Amino acid sequence: LRLTAPTMFGRRHVAPVVTRFLALHPDIQVDLTLSDRNVDLIEEGIDAGVRIGPLANVSLVARRLGEVRRVTVASDAYLDRRGTPAVPADLAQHELIMSTSVRSVAEWRFRADGREHVVRFSPRLRMNDVEAMLTAARDGFGIARALSYQVEPDLRAGLLRRLLVDFEPEPLPVHLVMPSARHMAPRLRAFVDFAVAEFAGVAVIRP
């Protein structure tokens, strides 16, 4: 089986599902590729992949696994020093850390009064790695934005605090996608059924 998933999500949540699946099926081999770019499943011969966000390719067969949110975070040390933003417009007065691992446009989208609001800014620090960005936020450099599953351990440990909760945009769906449901190989069908059941117990993607 050839599988793909976003890098951090794959490392934390997909790889453990894959190893548990392989323990039950000693006759199956898996090639798991972790990448933050949307791999073309058909062109690259991928059997299934995890996608976070709206599905651009409507021809893909999708099984919904859950959802995540875009959250804004900072450390208590930073907030004690610079204050806590009450509304998105307050971010103009803060040190902002931006991840360029997926997109490079310097803007964050929020939701207020039922409408989407775009906040454009000039970040003090850009990084192409989410883990490095979160390290800078934990160290008190500034305010960062990431997906809820990426920051959940830091929030639980009290290393980061969630900001502007009332302005968070709509959640992003998490899907397991496949090129086609027709003529699905038994090994792929077995993995899909197993993965859907396993992800039902993953708290970080529950609504």
Side-chain angles (χ1 to χ4, degrees):
L1 281 175
R2 298 193 66 201
L3 309 173
T4 185
T7 303
M8 188 182 293
F9 189 84
R11 188 185 303 134
R12 292 184 182 178
H13 303 294
V14 178
V17 169
V18 167
T19 55
R20 290 195 292 271
F21 174 75
L22 289 176
L24 296 174
H25 299 275
D27 56 325
I28 294 179
Q29 295 176 309
V30 169
D31 182 348
L32 174 62
T33 299
L34 303 183
S35 174
D36 288 326
R37 69 181 179 88
N38 270 355
V39 175
D40 187 310
L41 302 187
I42 296 175
E43 185 176 300
E44 302 198 26
I46 303 295
D47 295 301
V50 173
R51 292 280 169 85
I52 298 176
L55 296 177
N57 189 343
V58 295
S59 68
L60 294 174
V61 176
R63 296 283 298 271
R64 188 180 176 98
L65 302 177
E67 64 185 36
V68 296
R69 305 192 76 98
R70 293 197 185 279
V71 298
T72 307
V73 296
S75 69
D76 283 335
Y78 174 83
L79 298 173
D80 289 344
R81 188 172 76 252
R82 296 293 302 274
T84 301
V87 295
D90 291 346
L91 293 173
Q93 311 304 317
H94 285 270
E95 310 283 0
L96 303 184
I97 313 165
M98 180 182 171
S99 168
T100 59
S101 61
V102 177
R103 57 184 302 170
S104 58
V105 179
E107 64 180 33
W108 289 346
R109 295 175 182 269
F110 294 90
R111 193 164 185 84
D113 304 321
R115 295 181 301 161
E116 187 176 66
H117 294 260
V118 179
V119 175
R120 294 183 172 86
F121 58 92
S122 178
R124 283 293 311 281
L125 178 60
R126 293 174 184 256
M127 293 184 172
N128 69 345
D129 181 80
V130 174
E131 286 283 12
M133 177 190 69
L134 293 177
T135 296
R138 287 191 294 266
D139 289 344
F141 178 81
I143 296 174
R145 202 167 203 214
L147 296 177
S148 51
Y149 82 87
Q150 295 170 334
V151 299
E152 188 272 341
D154 292 319
L155 295 175
R156 190 175 65 248
L159 299 175
L160 292 174
R161 189 194 306 176
R162 195 166 173 173
L163 310 175
L164 302 171
V165 176
D166 292 339
F167 299 94
E168 289 176 357
E170 293 296 313
L172 300 169
V174 180
H175 288 102
L176 182 64
V177 297
M178 296 140 284
S180 174
R182 297 183 63 187
H183 312 300
M184 186 183 293
R187 63 182 181 277
L188 177 56
R189 189 176 301 279
F191 175 76
V192 170
D193 292 343
F194 180 82
V196 169
E198 288 287 294
F199 277 107
V202 177
V204 294
I205 61 171
R206 299 273 57 81

